[in-house]
């Protein structure tokens, strides 16, 4: 059984309970994890609280060195960790490896920033006085992580937290705890002082809830569904905890008549079907200008036909299974809703057939046309391999329809016209706009949403700010 990591030690749940982790491709048990509860979460929070003062006082350079050593420890197990991630999450093993490498790149990025955190000196009107602005770590942070990118989305929280001098309790999604448990253990093996980085597994409504409610936790970094995010705001927000919320999205992609069609086709296909469509920044609505609509759709269907569905451990697989049975049922319900309202299935729209698919939660990549605006695939987040395509008159109609959404996470526009690109970048209501580019997160760039996609930013130097308090100090110099 995998173990949690609390106060510098591997730990089972205090209750002794465990639960099985299921492989979404085969239905088999991958391993088991401790079923932690409030008491385990409290033990981890207490450990993080006890460790905080010394960690905040540790020099930035030493903090960075320990993060870098941790990176080395994880690198040594990269192949095994990649296979484990595929077995518990479902994605192709190459994508698992890229996810862990992305995590390491992000950790390295924040290790580099640790020693660049600085405040300022402020001259005041009375020249016998001056001000200083100090940047100090916030305190104990709760990092609540979903199952779709369990490792990178842990890193976007743990990296800036440790660099800033905060201590952390990680709460992974219940269905993807195993790779996280091993990685936290490896990061600790590099010499982090006990209590600086802890991980507790168990139900979100119990372990996560304790992180939201416990007054010793001063900051919550949450990635997950918008509905859960609303709950996080109501509970943790009422305690004035610092919050960042990375929530759902329904990213639009707009293709104009002068866009590079071949590159856009790849971006639409990868952007929608990567991780079996289970990405917050996936292309979830595709708007194509009418003069090139037929040509684009025909070529898109050709690309989609080449996507191989299968177990993520097989080299040929491009699309693994959906992560859970419930996730597949949700996708099927959304497609049925669209079809009932008049949508046409251009490809897919069903489970793949064959013995190898019987035990997993597979679904064929699907493209829908003629989808009305009131269909669930337009109004809600579609977290699976389903791409609705829409014909629009021009860029302006594309922008208007792109903005007709409760979400505002990512978006993209394809055009060679700089004026159009700039107009789109300014007018689209989203935290991120990609021009002539795949929707992809960079460690160097701030990432986050507006509207129901949340608030606050992860990635980039901007993320560090959410782990730092700004303190104003006014000093009167002696006569
Ligand atoms: P959930 O909101 O269901 O869960 C996210 C995390 O919250 C899990 O660790 C879960 O634990 C925990 N949790 C559940 N209930 C509570 C609670 N009451 N208090 C505290 N924590 C709780 O999301 P999913 O795991 O289904 O993730 C998919 C969602 O994440 C999608 O909507 C996706 O768009 C979004 N996402 C957003 C990103 C962004 O950057 N904007 C990036 C990636 C994903 P448990 O698993 O035990 O229930």
């Amino acid at each position: 059984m995998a173990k949690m990591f609390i106060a510098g030690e591997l730990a089972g749940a205090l209750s002794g309970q465990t639960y099985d982790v299921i492989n979404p491709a085969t239905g088999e048990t991958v391993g088991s994890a401790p079923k932690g509860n409030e008491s385990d979460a409290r033990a981890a929070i207490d450990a993080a609280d006890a460790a905080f003062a010394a960690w905040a006082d540790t020099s930035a350079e030493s903090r960075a060195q320990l993060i870098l050593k941790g990176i080395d420890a994880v690198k040594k197990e990269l192949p095994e960790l990649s296979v484990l991630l595929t077995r518990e999450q479902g994605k192709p093993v190459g994508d698992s490896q890229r996810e862990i490498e992305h995590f390491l790149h992000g950790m390295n990025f924040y290790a580099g920033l640790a020693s660049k955190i600085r405040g300022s000196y402020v001259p005041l009107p009375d020249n016998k006085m001056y001000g200083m602005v100090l940047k100090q770590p916030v305190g104990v942070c709760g990092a609540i992580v979903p199952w779709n990118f369990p490792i990178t989305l842990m890193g976007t929280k743990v990296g800036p937290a440790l660099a800033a001098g905060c201590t952390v309790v990680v709460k992974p999604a219940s269905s993807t705890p195993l790779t996280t448990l091993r990685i936290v253990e490896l990061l600790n093996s590099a010499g982090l002082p006990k209590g600086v980085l802890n991980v507790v597994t168990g139900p979100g409504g119990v372990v996560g809830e304790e992180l939201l409610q416990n007054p010793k936790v001063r900051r919550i970094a949450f990635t997950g569904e918008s509905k859960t995010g609303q709950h996080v705001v109501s509970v943790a927000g009422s305690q004035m905890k610092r919050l960042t919320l990375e929530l759902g999205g329904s990213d639009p992609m707009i293709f104009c008549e002068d866009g590079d069609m071949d590159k856009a086709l790849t971006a639409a296909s990868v952007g929608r079907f990567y991780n079996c469509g289970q990405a917050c920044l996936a292309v979830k609505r595709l708007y194509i200008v009418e003069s090139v609509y037929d040509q684009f759709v025909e070529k898109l269907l050709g690309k989609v036909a080449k996507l191989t569905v299968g177990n993520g451990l097989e080299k040929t697989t491009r699309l693994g299974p959906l992560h859970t049975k419930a996730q597949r049922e949700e996708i099927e319900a959304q497609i049925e809703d669209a079809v009932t309202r008049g949508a046409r299935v251009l490809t897919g729209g069903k489970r793949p057939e064959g013995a190898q698919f019987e035990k997993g939660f597979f679904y064929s990549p699907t493209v829908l046309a003629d989808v009305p605006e009131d269909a669930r695939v337009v109004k809600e987040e579609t977290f699976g391999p389903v791409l609705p395509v829409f014909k629009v008159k021009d860029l302006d109609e594309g922008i208007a329809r792109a903005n007709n959404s409760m979400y505002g996470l990512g978006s993209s526009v394809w055009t060679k016209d700089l004026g159009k690109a700039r107009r789109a970048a300014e007018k689209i209501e989203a935290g991120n706009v990609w021009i002539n580019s795949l929707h992809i997160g960079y460690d160097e760039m701030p990432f986050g949403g507006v509207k129901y996609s949340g608030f606050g930013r992860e990635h980039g130097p901007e993320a560090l700010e959410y782990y730092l308090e700004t303190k104003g100090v006014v000093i009167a110099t002696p006569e």
Side-chain angles (χ1 to χ4, degrees), residues 141-331:
C141 300
I144 305 179
V145 184
W147 48 259
N148 61 336
F149 290 96
I151 307 308
T152 45
L153 294 172
M154 165 174 64
T156 55
K157 300 162 180 59
V158 168
L162 295 182
C166 296
T167 54
V168 189
V169 179
V170 177
K171 150 69 183 105
S174 288
S175 54
T176 51
L178 300 175
T179 318
T180 303
L181 290 173
R182 181 65 185 147
I183 287 181
V184 170
E185 184 185 350
L186 288 167
L187 292 174
N188 271 284
S189 73
L192 286 175
K194 76 173 188 182
V196 167
L197 177 60
N198 311 273
V199 56
V200 182
T201 46
V206 180
V207 172
E209 195 69 27
E210 180 64 26
L211 288 172
L212 305 185
Q213 299 211 5
N214 193 309
K216 287 182 182 167
V217 178
R218 293 313 314 146
R219 165 155 176 38
I220 296 286
F222 174 82
T223 303
E225 282 182 36
S226 296
K227 247 190 206 145
T228 323
Q230 286 177 309
H231 176 71
V232 172
V233 173
S234 69
V235 179
S238 71
Q239 284 190 26
M240 308 303 163
K241 289 185 205 271
R242 288 278 209 106
L243 297 179
T244 45
L245 297 164
E246 299 285 348
L247 309 177
S250 181
D251 288 13
M253 167 173 167
I254 306 172
F255 184 76
C256 300
E257 60 281 6
D258 61 342
D260 183 325
M261 192 176 288
D262 287 340
K263 285 195 177 138
L265 283 161
T266 302
S269 173
V270 175
R272 173 68 273 200
F273 298 109
Y274 191 74
N275 202 19
C276 200
Q278 302 164 117
C280 56
L281 48 60
V283 174
K284 293 182 183 134
R285 294 173 288 148
L286 175 54
Y287 297 98
I288 307 164
V289 165
E290 58 189 3
S291 57
V292 285
Y293 177 88
D294 289 340
Q295 193 191 356
F296 195 104
V297 172
E298 191 191 326
K299 287 190 170 185
L300 178 68
L301 294 177
K303 261 200 177 303
V304 173
K306 291 193 191 130
L307 296 170
T308 317
V309 180
N311 186 321
L313 293 178
E314 283 155 23
K315 279 217 171 90
T316 50
T317 296
R318 296 267 57 80
L319 238 83
L322 283 153
H323 183 55
T324 57
K325 185 166 172 277
Q327 199 63 32
R328 182 166 67 176
E329 286 167 0
E330 169 66 14
I331 288 302

Side-chain angles (χ1 to χ4, degrees), residues 57-100:
D57 272 351
T58 301
S59 76
E61 204 147 317
S62 304
R63 292 201 300 267
Q65 286 305 324
L66 289 171
I67 297 172
L68 293 174
K69 277 193 191 164
I71 292 174
D72 286 342
V74 175
K75 257 188 205 157
K76 286 189 187 129
E77 278 192 22
L78 191 55
E80 296 86 341
L81 289 166
S82 305
V83 170
L84 181 59
L85 182 54
T86 289
R87 291 179 68 221
E88 66 175 341
Q89 204 280 340
K91 65 184 66 182
V93 70
D95 294 346
S96 290
Q97 179 166 331
R98 275 183 284 280
E99 173 170 353
I100 299 170

Side-chain angles (χ1 to χ4, degrees), residues 123-143:
L124 295 176
D126 177 343
N127 65 5
K128 294 202 183 62
M129 303 181 82
Y130 63 95
M132 284 198 311
V133 179
L134 304 186
K135 295 285 183 183
Q136 296 181 309
V138 168
V140 176
C141 300

